[in-house]
Amino acid sequence: MDLGIAGRRALVCASSKGLGRACALALAAEGVHVTVTARGAEALAATARQIRERCGVEVGEVVGDITTPQGRADALRAAGPIDILVTNAGGPPPGDFRDWSRDDWMRALDANMLTPIELIKASVDGMIERGFGRIVNITSAAVKAPIDVLGLSNGARSGLTGFVAGLARKTVRHNVTINNLLPGPFATDRLSAVAQAQAAAAGVSTAEILARRAADNPAGRVGDPAEFGAACAFLCSASAGFVSGQNLVLDGGAYPGVL
Ligand code: NAD
């Protein structure tokens, strides 16, 4: 299937590893020129090189913290006018809500609610003027089925989800869609870090927690980041202009509800 986005320009945030990287790769495989960002220069350069070699598209690299005004300004400046925005940042740490201060909450809100909103604010009007835009926010399956130790994530991402639900209905008339992708367990560094915390709390090994995560999933495994990238590329495709304001759960069927 030709997704009809070859030659488009995308900013994919927090994309040296994991799900962001998978989204950048999937878009680049469709001929999209991508700007990738991360805090660590080394991993980012390696990812940018792989994308260039595999896909032959232009790849911009921006080292910086996307949760800061400077990091966002640098990323947006380097990317230029964009047709596709994939928002992403590291998830907040797991823990017990009794231990979290107001500063902890503000950091989580900054990273997982206000950063995507600021990036959308900076790019959506240009997309509307040009008559094409695809915005995908990487959130979490925890928005629909909260995970107890991830209270900071549950709270901050729910705020973003509510905001997007309103805006996505205003932009779609201009062929600018905004959707959220909700990952369940995917084989990334983040999954290992959360499993490590759960293992410490339960007094078992991290390997055991990861094995349980796979066995408990209806698919009998965790997700491959490439599967996540493919869903992102579809939501960014020319044919997906009638899909807006949706929350697509990618979790192997783990969410038990009908809707
Ligand atoms: P990851 O740790 O594998 O990769 C995160 C990427 O983001 C890395 O490239 C890192 O350098 C970059 N990054 C992190 N913080 C950044 C910042 N402030 N500025 C710039 N770059 C930054 O994580 P992942 O598994 O790909 O997760 C991506 C998002 O999806 C996270 O918010 C995570 O909480 C969420 N999520 C992941 C899973 C999962 O199973 N992997 C499940 C639910 C939600």
Side-chain angles (χ1 to χ4, degrees), residues 14 16-19 39 64-66 88-91 157 183-184 186 188 190:
S16 66
K17 296 181 188 170
L19 304 180
R39 286 170 302 188
D65 184 340
I66 201 71
N88 185 31
R157 296 188 203 273
F186 277 83
T188 68
R190 167 74 177 174

Side-chain angles (χ1 to χ4, degrees), residues 11 35-39 44 60-65 71 74-76 78-79:
L11 169 60
T35 297
V36 289
T37 89
R39 286 170 302 188
L44 185 65
E61 294 166 49
V62 183
V63 176
D65 184 340
D74 290 347
L76 289 162

Side-chain angles (χ1 to χ4, degrees), residues 134-211:
R134 299 286 183 264
I135 299 175
V136 173
N137 303 299
I138 299 180
T139 68
S140 174
V143 170
K144 286 193 79 161
I147 299 168
D148 57 356
V149 293
L150 293 177
L152 291 168
S153 169
N154 302 337
R157 296 188 203 273
S158 295
L160 173 66
T161 305
F163 168 77
V164 163
L167 184 63
R169 272 83 190 181
K170 305 294 276 186
T171 61
V172 64
R173 182 174 293 266
H174 307 282
N175 194 21
V176 177
T177 66
I178 314 180
N179 293 288
N180 304 316
L181 279 179
L182 283 57
F186 277 83
T188 68
D189 289 357
R190 167 74 177 174
L191 187 72
S192 306
V194 173
Q196 220 169 342
Q198 288 171 325
V204 297
S205 73
T206 305
E208 195 174 332
I209 293 283
L210 286 171

